[in-house]
Amino acid sequence: MKKYVMWAGMALGLFAGSASGAFADDGPQLLTPHYTYNAKTIISGARLFATNCMACHSIKFMRYEFLTHDLGMSRADVQKDIMLPTGSTFKDNMTSAMPTQMAHKWFGLPPPDLSQMVRYKGQDWIYTYLLSFYQDPKRPSGWNNHVFPNVAMPDVLAPYGGIVNEHGKLLRAGDESPQKFKEQVTDIVAFLRFVSDPSVVQRHDDGPWVLGLLAFFTIVAYFLKKEYWKEVK
Amino acid sequence: MSFKEWFVKRSPVPEMWREHMAEYYAPKNFNIFYYAGSLLLLMVVLQFLSGFLVLAHYIPTAQGAYDSVYGIMYDVHYGWLMQYMHVDGVSLIFVLLYVHMARGMLYGSYRSPRELVWIIGYTTYLAFMAEAFFGYVLPYSNLSYWAGTVITSLLKSIPFIGGWVTTLVRGGPGMSGDTLNRFMALHVTLVFLVIVGLIVFHILYLHKVGSNNPDGIEIKANKGPDGHPVDGIPFHPYYSVKDLFGFGIWLIIFGAIIFYAPTFHHIFLERTMSTPANPLKSLPDVTPPWYLSPFYAMLRSIPNKTAGILLMVFAVLVPFVLPWLDRNPVKSTRYRPVTRVLLIIFFINFFVLAYLGEQPPLPKYFFVERLGAFIYVAFFLLLPFVSKFEPTRTPPARVRFHAH
Amino acid sequence: MSDETQDSKHAPNVTRRRFLTALVTVSGAAVAGTIAIPMVKSLDPTAAAAALATTTIDLSPIEPGMQMVALWQEKPVIVVNRTPEMLATLDEAEQKGILKDPNCNVPQQPPYCKNKYRSRVPEWYVGIKICNHLCCIPHYRPKKASVAPWWLGGFHCPCHGSMYDLSARVIKGSPAPHNMAVPEYDIDVAKKTVVVTKMYPLAHLC
């Protein structure tokens, strides 16, 4: 019997390995930085996202009020740093300012909603993507990207991270040091990861209690079982 | 007269309780595999409850489906819990189904007089596959759309009526809001009720002939002076109390997954479920969920479309006749070392096929996939001959049991 | 093996069994509750519904003496910009003794509106425009002597003739028993906004 458990464990291990297979074969090698995932990095990412990304990208399943009770931001901070000044109210969804018709006109297709993007593409893909922009005069936007060739999106983070050409030569330095810029990008990814599943806060808060109660039940049930099975010879 | 007397006179429940619980004598040597049955019952109840509660927020239109399903994760109180319970529950049900069927194959539970128990059970497995398929189309993610398209296209291969059936199932030439509506109807009512009905009959048919056990010997052949099998114990209280403990362990596992690894590394909830349906952008590889993956691997191992479909259909249906392929008087592979080895190879091969089915269709996998399909088929074709001539050990007269 | 007849060596310890069964039952009920309670709560109004639950009304287009009606939670909310003359009629109505509940003893309004203005700020009346009798929507009749010779201004319901003053206090002779309901709200006169938040729990609409 034990060997079946071993084979089952092996199979599960195989699956865990194969799960990431879907996207590993296309595009360049993805960077795998270390992500610090806590309220501080997520809030920092939220501010960066609101400033730089929300002009075009919505995260429509997210509501501003979730930033308070899930992350512990104060309502004032949310209203100051995150909410667009276009008449959103606190309970609204976090949509972008860009009307869809304009998006079609300017970019050819609307910038996608990013609510689930971390689940879809993965943290490493988004991180590498944001660090892979380069100047390309042949493109209408003037930008291109190694991870997503001929993407319509410009490098909005260029002021922070600087501008490089296709071969990685630095053309203009950004305002932040390379180390700090990478931190900012991991913060944005951390925020997007939170957005893709805000239940993580409640899950990790409640999880130990639920599992603790279940463990107590299981232990007591075990003793009850043994009490009856003493009779079985 | 007391309330009890009044009730017993009018209700069939007391004698049903006696027949199926308090006086149903089951072998005392059930091992860990035997938790799977009651756990499956628990899971069906939880799937029903969690499913009902996500249905309460679902909008079955092409425009509304994806947003309504993901809205549950954000806007509904404890919606994430209902959603994860339902999604993770599917994969865990299939884990239990495979454990449950493996037990049947290991110990000869499909053998006479339990052939119908096996057939009803295997039908239930197919019904679960259909239920899962209809269910994962409902969120109308890109995987839902393209998996729905691919699988309904398989129906086109049915001779003469294939095209008509495909259009009927889809409600049109391609996947659409109409497809969602009817898949929802199927998922919530028809297939679910079929599953419940099959489970009821599965248990009734089992209780008529009595449970098998790991040693494959018939406990009813050896009755004590009180008329009960000497190796049997009443299901209640012994197995009810043991199953309660099993529920506890299982709920800890289920809870750990929901609370700490709800996508289980994107195996239980694939990445491509997290992007909305795009009829203009098909997925690079439309891989099925892991529990359907072995059959998919067999399907595409043959470079001919019709032959591949035929092979897959054969692979899915051949286990029905397992009771008649196995011709050895000894039931349990505990006493049939040759069949036991073949069976273990079969199980490992099944896992390998599942892994292969998830990989992109690259030439480096072709040979192994074909070998895997061959091994799967070969097991069923060889069994009639191996079982007839293999050397066996004599099963004991009494079950092998250590007090615990 | 036979189970009922045990020899004394294997006699079941009934007390221990009862104790363990009780423990299992209680913790099992706790587990069931842990599963069931979130299930029931998931049927609570969603955050999407809650977002629609408050309405912000812009006061700038409302001229003195005018009303505006906005939809809040599928109900009509009326905002009236009351002039000083209109506010004076509130005292007059009290002096003439024509009101059923001039002091707002029946809690049809939040505590901060329990006054003759039935509002937070005297000039701005905010209320739910539903007649307390049988739920029709009354007409806004601010002009003196319009409904009757003694009419000081207020609301008049076309269905069964209920009458209210300019604070929606019910006038004697009306079939309606109570003053019209006032919801809970916030007002920012400088920013010219009213945010209607929720129903006052003790108020009866109709």
Side-chain angles (χ1 to χ4, degrees), chain A residues 151-172:
Chain A
V151 68
M153 172 175 157
D155 184 4
V156 273
L157 297 177
Y160 302 90
I163 303 174
V164 293
N165 74 1
E166 193 176 347
H167 307 289
K169 175 162 169 283
L170 186 68
L171 299 174
R172 180 146 73 89

Side-chain angles (χ1 to χ4, degrees), chain C residues 105-183:
Chain C
N105 291 325
V106 177
Q108 289 287 86
Q109 62 286 317
Y112 47 82
C113 290
K114 192 175 178 214
N115 51 58
K116 67 178 168 210
Y117 306 110
R118 299 189 77 228
S119 62
R120 296 186 105 123
V121 168
E123 302 79 60
W124 294 102
Y125 173 74
V126 179
I128 301 177
K129 203 183 182 193
I130 290 181
C131 182
N132 188 249
H133 178 227
L134 289 174
C135 321
C136 291
I137 298 179
H139 292 155
Y140 173 59
R141 305 299 295 270
K143 199 152 154 254
K144 283 197 166 131
S146 53
V147 175
W150 50 266
W151 186 256
L152 296 166
F155 300 90
H156 176 240
C157 188
C159 293
H160 309 102
S162 291
M163 294 170 287
Y164 306 83
D165 73 350
L166 280 165
S167 286
R169 291 180 295 185
V170 63
I171 292 173
K172 287 177 182 168
S174 304
H178 304 306
N179 304 333
M180 284 202 268
V182 174

Side-chain angles (χ1 to χ4, degrees), chain A residues 7 17-18 22 25 29 44 62 69-70 77 93 97 99 111 119 144 171 175 188 214 228:
Chain A
W7 289 124
S18 80
D25 279 346
Q29 194 72 348
S44 156
M62 196 64 189
H69 46 74
D70 284 335
D77 281 340
N93 301 102
R119 278 251 164 108
N144 207 328
L171 299 174
D175 292 343
I188 292 178
L214 286 171
Y228 275 92

